[in-house]
Amino acid sequence: VQLQASGGGLVQAGGSLRLSCTASGPIIAINTMGWYRQAPGKGRELVAVSASFGSPNYGDSVKGRFAISRDNAENTVSLQTNSPKPEDTAVYYCNANINSSWSPFWYNYWGQGTQVTVSS
């Protein structure tokens, strides 16, 4: 199982940027898919997560600005970053809780991380 993220880069404050992440491999089912981020010198924090059912959860710092969406048929999760601020600058990591044919258990998988830099 592999998570491949794309879409990071440089964006001006107040602009927008879209991140995408696709899970591939012998996947049987996916529970949660989401995004976390880690800024220099800080710990990894939740940005947004989408479960199989119910409403998504957002970190307090991005509520009302970022939007997560999911395409279950394509095993893809996307993050629309609207009105980003310089403090949103971080490496963004895709995460998914997946059951695969490799094991009867569910495991958390991480993507490789994609840099988002917001200029003021």
Side-chain angles (χ1 to χ4, degrees):
V1 174
Q2 187 176 21
L3 299 184
Q4 183 66 46
S6 62
L10 178 65
V11 60
Q12 281 193 325
S16 66
L17 194 68
R18 187 174 182 86
L19 308 180
S20 292
C21 175
T22 299
S24 61
I27 295 170
I28 296 175
I30 301 178
N31 183 8
T32 59
M33 293 190 84
W35 295 90
Y36 291 74
R37 69 186 183 187
Q38 187 165 16
K42 295 187 177 182
R44 193 169 294 190
E45 65 171 355
L46 169 70
V47 177
V49 63
S50 172
S52 299
F53 300 97
S55 301
N57 288 322
Y58 293 91
D60 289 340
S61 60
V62 305
K63 282 180 181 176
R65 299 188 297 120
F66 291 9
I68 190 170
S69 60
R70 184 169 164 176
D71 185 335
N72 291 325
E74 299 293 331
N75 291 337
T76 296
V77 63
S78 297
L79 183 72
Q80 182 68 38
T81 66
N82 298 316
S83 300
K85 305 174 183 179
E87 50 264 43
D88 293 320
T89 294
V91 177
Y92 284 67
Y93 295 93
C94 174
N95 172 270
N97 187 243
I98 295 174
N99 179 233
S100 74
S101 60
W102 290 342
S103 168
F105 303 109
W106 294 77
Y107 289 98
N108 269 331
Y109 293 88
W110 292 91
Q112 81 280 15
T114 184
Q115 176 71 45
V116 173
T117 302
V118 184
S119 63
S120 57

